[in-house]
Every structure is written in structure tokens, then in C-alpha cells.
Amino acid sequence: MDSSRREFLQLAGMAALAAGAGVAEEAEAQQGSAAPAPDAIPMRPFGKTGVKVSALGIGGFHIGAPKDEQVGIRIIQEALDAGINFLDNAWDYNKGRSEEIMGKALQGGRRDKAFLMTKVCTHGRGKDVAMKQLEDSLRRLQTDHLDLWQIHEVVYANDPELHFKKGGVVEALELAKKQGKVRFVGFTGHKHPDLHLEMLKHGFPFDAVQMPLNVFDGTFRSFEQRVLPEVLRRKMAPLGMKSLSGNAEPVKKGVVTPQEAIRYAMSLPVAVTISGIDSPEVLQQNLAIARGFKPMTKQEMADLRNRVAPLAADGRFELFKTSMQYDGNEGREQHGFPPQGQLG
């Protein structure tokens, strides 16, 4: 049993004695009260769990994009060494390659540095498929447990119904937690705030909710305005993604700079902003933004939102909301749609 698993079991025991802030205070007392270095990556509370995660996280999809897996391994290891601990992934990213690369990168004692998340990609299939995918993910990631396991891509109108049906994936979340293979659970999606709110209406005790949060979202089908406040009210951990709109088109077209876009996303009240990083150079760019991070003022955020609002209004920079371009093939297949490249 690795030390991170032992820590998990210890924390579970502590949670029986104290909750929320009490757990956090006890953990901080054990770790000492030394102030972080001025240029450190900020650490933020992961909802009400008492755990802290880095304000900047590494996206799993882009890790599997370079042909040379050593590039992905280097990005992960350099990020961990720099103080980033939140690692995102999914069972179906690059047909499992992203998880395999991340698993290799976490060897040599680095697993203990990471808050490791991956996603289950049942897309309407049931608990048994989900548990099989969990075992696949654990094997690829070379670990005996996940810190966070999330339902991937709640993007179709009937997804909430399918996930919560008897024998559905939500039952797998409960079982995996009970078995000690998963510490925390959540769900993700990029399509419409209504779907996130429908998931939350079921009252299930999710620990985290992942959503697109960027300056364009601030005024268009806004997760920031509609979902983020509800997640905070329920004391779940909000996870932001697509700070550069998923494809960095606003940066490429000179609408915003990487610094403006990432600073805006990180200035929101989120636990972590997950960023797709496919090169060591992009990693260094993002680290420069995150080190010693100081949030934008409310006025600065409002000014930036207002500046881009005319371009946000038609969804051109959030195609993951307005088209099927970003919907994964695994989900398309289960819902009867052609694969990427053949539709929308």
C-alpha cells in the first residue's frame, strides 16, 4: 500500500471525529504553519473535504497529444516539481494513452505528490461498465486508488436520467468510494448549465463539479453565473476548465492574451483551473502566471468581460457549447451519433 493510500485511510478516520474546517485545521497543525514562498503555486480548499489542491491543474487530454510520450511525462513531472498537484485525466482520452503516460510519470515516488483525478466514460451504460473502466484506469495510472473519480461529459439531454437510473453510473461512484478505490466523486460537462443543474437537483453528495469557466462564458450560457454559485452553496469543489476556450482560438486571433484568459479563470472562486498543456514551453508560460498568483479585481474582471462580450454573444469562441465538435467519440457512439469529423 503506497503512502498516499495510507494517508487516505488516516484522513477517513479523522473525518469520523471532525468535519470540514476542523479536519483542515488539524491537518495544518500537523504540517506546521510556515508561510508559503511568495512565488509558490497557491493551494486552495477542495470543497469541504479538508484537502487542498493547487490553483492550477494539468489537463489530461493534451498530455497524450505529442507523439513522443516523453514530452507528456516531462510536463507532468516538471509540474509536480513546481508545486502543481492536481492532475486531470479520463478513461477515454487518446484511447487510454493519456492515462498510461500519466501512470509512467507518477513512478519513482511522485504519486504521493499528486491529487489524481480521472473520469468514467459510461455515457449511459451501467455500474458494471463503470467498475470495469475504473479497474482499467487504476492499472494504466499504476495506482491503487484515485483522489477523484468523475462522470465524464454530461452533455446530452438525457444524460442525468441515464446516470441516476437504477444500476447506473452513480451507483458505481458510491461503490468505488465504499471500496476505498476512490476518495472523492464528481461530474463534468461543457454543454449547457441546465444539465449541470439537473444533475445537482438529484441531491447526490458530489464532492466536485467541473465546468467551462472563461471570460466568454461570463456572458454567454454562463456556468459562472448559473452553476458556480449553486456548487459553492452546496460546498462542493468547483473545477474550472477551458480557460482558453478549448482551442486557444481567442489567443491566436488576438482577442485576449493567455495571461488575461488564465488570470480571469483563476480569479473566479474555484478550487482549481485545469489547463491543457502540450509542451514544456506552455507549462512554463502557465507557471509564470500561477506563481504567487494575485487575483484580478472585480472591476478588472468586469472590464474584460465587457470587452469581449460582443464576440461571446454568438458562441464562436465556445464551440463546445454550440456544436458537437468537442463531444467525445465514446459518448457519440453510445448516443447514436457519428464520430468526430463526420458531424458538427
Side-chain angles (χ1 to χ4, degrees), residues 18 37 59 62 68 85 88 97 141 203 207 230 241 272 274 308 329:
H62 290 76
D68 183 359
N85 74 344
D88 159 278
R97 185 169 184 264
L141 292 164
D207 299 295
E230 182 62 19
M241 61 177 170
V272 58
I274 300 165
V308 305
N329 285 335

Side-chain angles (χ1 to χ4, degrees), residues 121 212 223 270 296 324 327:
C121 306
F223 286 82
V270 296
M296 286 181 168
M324 293 187 69
D327 301 351

Side-chain angles (χ1 to χ4, degrees), residues 20-262:
V23 175
E25 290 170 2
E26 184 169 348
E28 289 175 4
Q30 291 175 350
Q31 295 169 3
S33 57
D39 63 347
I41 306 295
M43 303 297 288
R44 296 177 176 174
F46 185 74
K48 61 183 178 182
T49 65
V51 174
K52 289 190 174 182
V53 294
S54 54
L56 182 67
I58 301 296
F61 181 82
H62 290 76
I63 291 301
K67 291 183 179 180
D68 183 359
E69 70 174 24
Q70 291 302 316
V71 175
I73 290 172
R74 177 184 170 187
I75 291 168
I76 295 165
Q77 293 183 344
E78 288 187 2
L80 290 169
D81 292 344
I84 292 176
N85 74 344
F86 192 100
L87 301 181
D88 159 278
N89 222 310
W91 175 87
D92 69 349
Y93 281 168
N94 298 291
K95 299 182 178 180
R97 185 169 184 264
S98 286
E99 287 187 335
E100 290 171 354
I101 291 171
M102 192 166 281
K104 293 176 182 179
L106 290 175
Q107 297 312 295
R110 286 186 170 87
R111 172 67 182 93
D112 293 345
K113 293 183 177 181
F115 184 96
L116 182 59
M117 178 265 277
T118 198
K119 309 180 193 87
V120 56
C121 306
T122 50
H123 299 290
R125 291 167 290 182
K127 178 176 70 174
D128 291 345
V129 172
M131 297 305 292
K132 170 62 168 60
Q133 290 186 356
L134 176 60
E135 294 304 321
D136 291 339
S137 292
L138 293 173
R139 172 177 48 79
R140 294 168 182 165
L141 292 164
Q142 300 187 50
T143 186
D144 63 355
H145 79 285
L146 301 172
D147 295 293
L148 175 61
W149 196 36
Q150 299 199 99
I151 301 169
H152 193 208
E153 279 194 346
V154 180
V155 299
Y156 296 93
N158 62 341
D159 275 348
E161 176 187 353
L162 293 172
H163 297 330
F164 278 97
K165 70 181 181 181
K166 182 175 177 56
V169 66
V170 170
E171 292 185 11
L173 300 187
E174 294 178 304
L175 177 59
K177 221 174 178 182
K178 186 181 298 185
Q179 291 177 344
K181 294 179 179 180
V182 171
R183 296 175 70 186
F184 308 118
V185 297
F187 71 91
T188 82
H190 57 247
K191 188 65 68 179
H192 202 292
D194 286 352
L195 293 173
H196 275 54
L197 294 174
E198 185 64 32
M199 289 287 289
L200 292 172
K201 282 180 184 177
H202 286 265
F204 185 81
F206 292 110
D207 299 295
V209 179
Q210 187 168 329
M211 67 195 91
L213 291 169
N214 60 70
V215 66
F216 301 95
D217 169 80
T219 57
F220 178 73
R221 293 188 194 172
S222 182
F223 286 82
E224 175 186 336
Q225 301 298 326
R226 297 187 59 206
V227 179
L228 182 56
E230 182 62 19
V231 171
L232 292 170
R233 187 185 72 79
R234 294 169 184 254
K235 298 183 180 179
M236 299 169 179
L239 312 180
M241 61 177 170
K242 302 192 186 303
S243 58
L244 298 182
S245 299
N247 56 11
E249 280 298 303
V251 173
K252 296 172 185 175
K253 294 185 176 180
V255 178
V256 292
T257 66
Q259 290 76 16
E260 286 175 325
I262 294 173

